[in-house]
Amino acid sequence: MERSSIKYILTEEMDWEVLGGGVSRKILGWDNQIMMVQVKFEKGAEGSPHQHFHTQATYCVSGKFEFIINGIKQIVKAGDGVYIEPNLLHSAICLEEGILIDTFSPVREDFLDGSGVSYFSKK
């Protein structure tokens, strides 16, 4: 079944979806093949170690984050990108308040049904 978001997602007209642990998001567009999500982190917020079958590419809009992907640690700051292959264990800790743009393929069904929030916490 083909499904998709509306064509224009105007973020100023949207409320942040609060995920807990200092993390909020806005879903910026999706169909069955791809999803883009704006994620706001408070300092100390953490995406706990997790893995999923989706390919993920992330762009750091602002802030500073410590990513660990498959045991390899890297500091990421505004302007940097991250690529996460399917099924790799990964996590992120927000070192300076910031925003990430996450892109997933295929769509994160768990985000649409509200169940994909369990791996966020605040240190």
Side-chain angles (χ1 to χ4, degrees):
M1 167 177 36
E2 287 296 317
R3 308 171 300 137
S4 65
S5 65
I6 59 175
K7 301 294 182 240
Y8 297 99
I9 294 89
L10 307 177
T11 59
E12 65 187 24
E13 298 175 3
M14 299 171 67
D15 292 326
W16 286 97
E17 178 185 358
V18 177
L19 305 178
V23 180
S24 301
R25 74 175 167 218
K26 294 181 180 185
I27 297 176
L28 301 179
W30 58 273
D31 64 17
N32 290 342
Q33 304 304 312
I34 194 166
M35 174 180 268
M36 185 168 58
V37 182
Q38 182 180 32
V39 190
K40 178 173 66 170
F41 287 79
E42 296 175 8
K43 182 177 181 177
E46 178 179 1
S48 301
H50 65 283
Q51 59 191 50
H52 43 73
F53 69 88
H54 310 83
T55 298
Q56 178 177 343
T58 297
Y59 174 72
C60 183
V61 176
S62 62
K64 186 187 282 187
F65 297 81
E66 177 185 275
F67 276 82
I68 301 175
I69 302 171
N70 207 31
I72 300 170
K73 189 181 294 188
Q74 178 66 52
I75 303 296
V76 174
K77 62 184 181 341
D80 293 339
V82 177
Y83 169 71
I84 303 168
E85 295 174 53
N87 301 309
L88 286 185
L89 187 65
H90 59 282
S91 62
I93 298 172
C94 182
L95 304 175
E96 295 175 7
E97 180 177 316
I99 292 180
L100 300 175
I101 301 295
D102 288 335
T103 306
F104 301 98
S105 179
V107 64
R108 291 290 303 257
E109 295 285 349
D110 55 330
F111 286 12
L112 296 176
D113 70 17
S115 65
V117 299
S118 62
Y119 48 78
F120 294 109
S121 63
K122 180 94 181 210
K123 285 191 170 193

